[in-house]
Amino acid sequence: MSRKSRASLNIALAGAAGRMGNEIEKISADSACVVVAKIDSGKDWKKADAKIIDVVVDFSSPEGLSDALKWCLANKKPLVSGSTGLTNKQRKELKDAAKKIPVLYSGNMSLGIAVFTSMMESLGAIKDWDFQIEEVHHNQKKDKPSGTGLLLQEKLVQAVSKSVPEPSSLRGGGVPGIHTLWAMGPEETLTITHTAFNRTVFARGALKAALWLFDKKQAGLYDLSDLYSHK
Ligand SMILES: NC(=O)c1ccc[n+]([C@@H]2O[C@H](COP(=O)([O-])OP(=O)(O)OC[C@H]3O[C@@H](n4cnc5c(N)ncnc54)[C@H](OP(=O)(O)O)[C@@H]3O)[C@@H](O)[C@H]2O)c1
């Protein structure tokens, strides 16, 4: 059924009791979405009713992402995930699942970081400079470096075609996320910084991604650059 024939998108939310889960539930009505299933452990998937779920949105944990993927594959449902700290095994699970169902994964769901990564494509012109990604997050964050730090690192390596140091991480207070790229030349420096003021920005991005992915229908591994280049 196309979303156009119904007022809103029905979502199963993995990690519903967490910080991001709460934020998503809070803004879901504004984004034409309804949370119809709350998943807080692997066992909760047994109770999820595939008949009423359009898309799964996951902000839980690496293990939670694996559980969500299994359910989505068994029930042929699209998955949007922002869970970070993935192992190589979990990254492979994502890629394999995306051969069969639509999957959108991003370690950062904000529009600002999507633009940040596309700006990084011009760094080839200064590839001889020194580079460092720096990330700052709240003191409850479980993974280090952050998923966004790793995403920026990956884009940086692609742009400058050389290895660069690991992202540096700072933890403290309630910071939702600050990411800076340092490009340091012999006579000048260039810095790009993205600051998330709150978690709403990630929640809004994830629900926008869910609406886009539901309409997309085609299996594949997507990220936010796909979403914003198909506006
Ligand atoms: N991509 C982005 O834009 C973005 C933005 C912010 C955060 N994140 C990531 O999103 C994830 C959640 O962040 P958060 O700050 O909301 O963390 P959080 O407050 O710790 O919430 C995570 C929730 O997921 C639950 N959970 C753990 N394992 C699960 C499983 N197997 N199935 C279902 N639920 C499970 C946790 O339950 P218990 O407490 O009982 O374990 C908890 O309620 C993290 O990986 C974080 O790095 C991504």
Side-chain angles (χ1 to χ4, degrees), residues 121-168:
E121 285 166 19
S122 28
L123 292 173
I126 50 170
K127 63 176 185 239
D128 296 336
W129 290 17
D130 296 323
F131 297 94
Q132 180 70 51
I133 305 286
E134 186 184 69
E135 56 101 351
V136 188
H137 280 92
H138 56 92
N139 56 20
Q140 301 300 307
K141 186 158 179 66
K142 289 179 184 143
D143 51 324
K144 195 195 271 190
S146 66
T148 310
L150 294 172
L151 170 75
L152 294 177
Q153 172 97 351
E154 190 186 319
K155 300 284 178 190
L156 177 58
V157 167
Q158 280 166 16
V160 299
S161 311
K162 65 178 184 185
S163 60
V164 293
E166 283 294 295
S168 65

Side-chain angles (χ1 to χ4, degrees), residues 15 18-20 40 60-61 64 67 82 84 106-109 141-142:
R19 285 175 286 254
M20 278 303 300
D40 287 301
S60 58
S61 63
D67 292 339
T84 60
S106 178
N108 190 303
M109 293 285 180
K141 186 158 179 66
K142 289 179 184 143

Side-chain angles (χ1 to χ4, degrees), residues 24 31-32 36 41 55 61 67-68 81 90 102 113 118-119 125 140 153-154 164 185 207 215 220 225 230-231:
I24 287 175
S31 303
V36 294
S41 83
V55 180
S61 63
D67 292 339
S81 176
Q90 282 145 350
I113 287 285
S118 59
M119 286 165 76
Q140 301 300 307
Q153 172 97 351
E154 190 186 319
V164 293
L207 293 181
D215 286 343
S225 63
H230 288 76
K231 260 206 273 201

Side-chain angles (χ1 to χ4, degrees), residues 64-214:
L65 168 59
S66 294
D67 292 339
L69 267 178
K70 274 185 213 129
W71 188 88
C72 288
L73 278 169
N75 294 282
K76 304 228 169 334
K77 299 289 177 183
L79 172 72
V80 170
S81 176
S83 291
T84 60
L86 308 190
T87 60
N88 287 338
K89 183 170 166 275
Q90 282 145 350
R91 287 182 184 278
K92 182 166 184 312
E93 283 173 10
L94 266 182
K95 273 194 196 148
D96 290 347
K99 291 176 190 151
K100 297 182 181 142
I101 53 169
V103 176
L104 188 146
Y105 178 79
S106 178
N108 190 303
M109 293 285 180
S110 72
L111 174 60
I113 287 285
V115 174
F116 190 151
T117 55
S118 59
M119 286 165 76
M120 289 171 83
E121 285 166 19
S122 28
L123 292 173
I126 50 170
K127 63 176 185 239
D128 296 336
W129 290 17
D130 296 323
F131 297 94
Q132 180 70 51
I133 305 286
E134 186 184 69
E135 56 101 351
V136 188
H137 280 92
H138 56 92
N139 56 20
Q140 301 300 307
K141 186 158 179 66
K142 289 179 184 143
D143 51 324
K144 195 195 271 190
S146 66
T148 310
L150 294 172
L151 170 75
L152 294 177
Q153 172 97 351
E154 190 186 319
K155 300 284 178 190
L156 177 58
V157 167
Q158 280 166 16
V160 299
S161 311
K162 65 178 184 185
S163 60
V164 293
E166 283 294 295
S168 65
S169 304
L170 219 70
R171 294 287 174 266
V175 182
I178 304 174
H179 291 87
T180 300
L181 163 74
W182 285 89
M184 296 165 282
E187 294 175 330
E188 54 188 322
T189 62
L190 170 70
T191 55
I192 309 175
T193 297
H194 176 264
T195 304
F197 298 156
N198 50 44
R199 289 183 180 85
T200 316
V201 66
F202 308 127
R204 226 180 276 295
L207 293 181
K208 198 167 176 177
L211 292 161
W212 179 84
L213 196 64
F214 182 69

